[in-house]
Amino acid sequence: MEVEDLLKLVLVLVVIWIVLEIVFEVVGFALGILGALDGLIGVLVVILIVLWLTDRI
């Protein structure tokens, strides 16, 4: 292999590594937001059930 081919291979691997890091950060951030919203979603479900049972919806 030539040096240029090795540099291209290393460049591609580094780009793939950076893209994977960004994807994992975005997914982790999204899961963090959803984890924080669990309590709020539960409260909203309870409110909707109470409104349904009292015929307010």
Side-chain angles (χ1 to χ4, degrees):
M1 287 184 96
E2 294 180 14
V3 173
E4 289 85 15
D5 293 336
L6 286 174
L7 286 175
K8 288 177 186 176
L9 180 64
V10 169
L11 181 62
V12 168
L13 290 174
V14 168
V15 168
I16 291 172
W17 176 52
I18 290 172
V19 169
L20 286 175
E21 288 290 325
I22 291 171
V23 167
F24 285 131
E25 286 295 322
V26 169
V27 169
F29 180 72
L31 290 177
I33 289 175
L34 289 177
L37 293 178
D38 279 347
L40 181 62
I41 292 172
V43 169
L44 289 175
V45 168
V46 169
I47 290 172
L48 286 174
I49 291 172
V50 168
L51 289 175
W52 179 270
L53 291 174
T54 58
D55 291 329
R56 301 278 183 171
I57 294 180

